[in-house]
Amino acid sequence: MNDSLRESLSYFGLYKKMFRVQKNIIPESVSFGNDKDQYFLYYEPDNIISDKIIIWVHGGGWNAGTPKYFDFVGQYIANAGYRFVSIGYRLSPKNKYPCQIEDVCSGYKSAIRYLNEKNINTSKVIVSGPSAGAHLSSILCYSKSVQEAYDTDVSKIIGFIGVGGPYSFSVKTSLSVRILLDQLFSKSYDRTNGEPCSLMTKNNIPMLLIQSKHDGLIDFSCAERLYEKAKSVGNECELYEVVDKKNTHSWYTAGMFLETRNENQGLDKFFSWIEKL
């Protein structure tokens, strides 16, 4: 069975587990714009085990998904003892890029202000995202031109984790991703201005890339290209290949948060990397 078909057939099991997740923590919803998708959710753990804060940008092909839809990720990470922020953004095809990265930068800045107002130490932030969220959050962390354009200070970020991201548009690309990119960008837009590999500049934020060779949507070479670019500009980067049996795109990018660290090695890598920062 090819990986694209495995990805398609995985959805039922994924959704079944998603809707069984208990909502132990009620997140606070904070708007940072007039659009319904311009908001973030903040999850305060009942038992805080770390002063590190995880800020997460959801996936969904740039045209779907919201922080509320991915509540199970917030529940898992907060239950693990970490303060957690989940940022939303305007979706394509109605809203063309760079609306999405503008919102991610605005949401990030709003989240930092919000946490500071609550007298929470924001000096140790980890930014992460899966799929389209990995694309956007990597640009937030590593593009100096974007940081300057949207007046975004990333000095509080001590680590970045990208999971299953489309970081390069010049590698082998599935039909599904080509359609999604056509929806994201206007016909006249220079896509290198929205490509992480082209935008990456040198900084001191360590990077972990989690990617599967059996993704079914995003080719492994996307992560390899970003890894190579990071090394070429002098950025610290680790590329981790998913070895779990549930290694198709949806399962390892977001579905890993429906399993335990003992069950899922990718999830254990996610947390163990953060723990070592």
Side-chain angles (χ1 to χ4, degrees), residues 85-131:
V85 176
S86 181
I87 297 177
Y89 49 89
R90 286 169 289 174
L91 301 174
S92 68
K94 178 182 177 181
N95 302 286
K96 300 296 185 182
Y97 190 90
C99 285
Q100 292 74 22
I101 191 60
E102 177 184 352
D103 287 353
V104 168
C105 289
S106 180
Y108 173 80
K109 293 187 293 182
S110 296
I112 295 297
R113 285 196 300 268
Y114 171 81
L115 294 169
N116 286 336
E117 288 169 2
K118 294 171 76 72
N119 293 317
I120 294 172
N121 182 356
T122 57
S123 64
K124 297 179 181 179
V125 172
I126 292 94
V127 171
S128 182
S131 194

Side-chain angles (χ1 to χ4, degrees), residues 56-66 69-70 89 91-92 130-134 180 183 249 253-254:
W56 198 75
V57 181
H58 70 79
W62 303 283
N63 68 356
T66 65
Y69 181 83
F70 289 99
Y89 49 89
L91 301 174
S92 68
S131 194
L180 291 171
Q183 292 178 347
H249 187 77
T253 57

Side-chain angles (χ1 to χ4, degrees), residues 62 131-132 134-135 138 160 162-174 177-178 181 194-198 200 207-231 237-240 249 252:
W62 303 283
S131 194
H135 164 264
S138 65
F160 165 75
V163 189
Y167 309 111
S168 172
F169 304 152
S170 61
V171 300
K172 179 182 178 182
T173 308
S174 67
V177 174
R178 291 199 297 272
L181 289 171
E195 182 186 47
C197 280
S198 297
M200 176 172 282
M207 175 190 303
L208 170 65
L209 302 177
I210 300 175
Q211 205 92 358
S212 171
K213 289 184 177 178
H214 298 280
D215 184 296
L217 287 178
I218 307 293
D219 198 76
F220 191 79
S221 58
C222 273
E224 290 179 315
R225 286 286 181 89
L226 193 64
Y227 173 83
E228 292 165 0
K229 182 60 180 288
K231 291 296 187 181
C237 183
E238 178 182 353
L239 175 55
Y240 172 83
H249 187 77
Y252 83 91

Side-chain angles (χ1 to χ4, degrees), residues 9-268:
L9 293 176
S10 72
Y11 298 151
F12 176 76
L14 186 67
Y15 295 149
K16 187 177 180 180
K17 293 193 76 169
M18 279 175 56
F19 295 120
R20 288 181 175 178
V21 173
Q22 292 186 347
K23 299 181 183 295
N24 298 320
I25 297 172
I26 305 300
E28 299 177 47
S29 181
V30 180
S31 296
F32 58 85
N34 295 324
D35 190 274
K36 63 180 179 60
D37 291 320
Q38 291 174 310
Y39 73 97
F40 63 81
L41 295 180
Y42 170 64
Y43 295 75
E44 175 79 10
D46 293 330
N47 180 30
I48 298 171
I49 64 143
S50 175
D51 59 352
K52 296 167 185 171
I53 299 167
I54 298 175
I55 295 182
W56 198 75
V57 181
H58 70 79
W62 303 283
N63 68 356
T66 65
K68 292 177 182 176
Y69 181 83
F70 289 99
D71 174 73
F72 67 95
V73 180
Q75 296 292 335
Y76 193 103
I77 293 178
N79 284 328
Y82 292 88
R83 290 186 170 98
F84 181 78
V85 176
S86 181
I87 297 177
Y89 49 89
R90 286 169 289 174
L91 301 174
S92 68
K94 178 182 177 181
N95 302 286
K96 300 296 185 182
Y97 190 90
C99 285
Q100 292 74 22
I101 191 60
E102 177 184 352
D103 287 353
V104 168
C105 289
S106 180
Y108 173 80
K109 293 187 293 182
S110 296
I112 295 297
R113 285 196 300 268
Y114 171 81
L115 294 169
N116 286 336
E117 288 169 2
K118 294 171 76 72
N119 293 317
I120 294 172
N121 182 356
T122 57
S123 64
K124 297 179 181 179
V125 172
I126 292 94
V127 171
S128 182
S131 194
H135 164 264
L136 294 169
S137 54
S138 65
I139 294 174
L140 163 69
C141 290
Y142 297 102
S143 172
K144 186 175 181 180
S145 62
V146 165
Q147 293 158 10
E148 291 176 346
Y150 300 114
D151 191 25
T152 305
D153 178 9
V154 297
S155 61
K156 297 178 183 293
I157 301 175
I158 63 169
F160 165 75
I161 304 176
V163 189
Y167 309 111
S168 172
F169 304 152
S170 61
V171 300
K172 179 182 178 182
T173 308
S174 67
L175 176 60
S176 296
V177 174
R178 291 199 297 272
I179 292 171
L180 291 171
L181 289 171
D182 287 343
Q183 292 178 347
L184 178 65
F185 296 110
S186 62
K187 290 185 178 179
S188 60
Y189 191 81
D190 180 356
R191 294 188 181 186
T192 60
N193 292 324
E195 182 186 47
C197 280
S198 297
L199 292 171
M200 176 172 282
T201 49
K202 179 175 174 54
N203 67 22
N204 297 317
I205 302 173
M207 175 190 303
L208 170 65
L209 302 177
I210 300 175
Q211 205 92 358
S212 171
K213 289 184 177 178
H214 298 280
D215 184 296
L217 287 178
I218 307 293
D219 198 76
F220 191 79
S221 58
C222 273
E224 290 179 315
R225 286 286 181 89
L226 193 64
Y227 173 83
E228 292 165 0
K229 182 60 180 288
K231 291 296 187 181
S232 71
V233 299
N235 291 342
E236 181 182 340
C237 183
E238 178 182 353
L239 175 55
Y240 172 83
E241 180 186 342
V242 175
V243 296
D244 301 286
K245 290 183 179 179
K246 293 178 179 177
N247 55 12
T248 52
H249 187 77
S250 296
W251 261 114
Y252 83 91
T253 57
M256 66 178 178
F257 294 103
L258 297 168
E259 300 194 311
T260 67
R261 290 179 67 169
N262 288 333
E263 293 172 321
N264 191 294
Q265 295 181 61
L267 180 64
D268 185 64

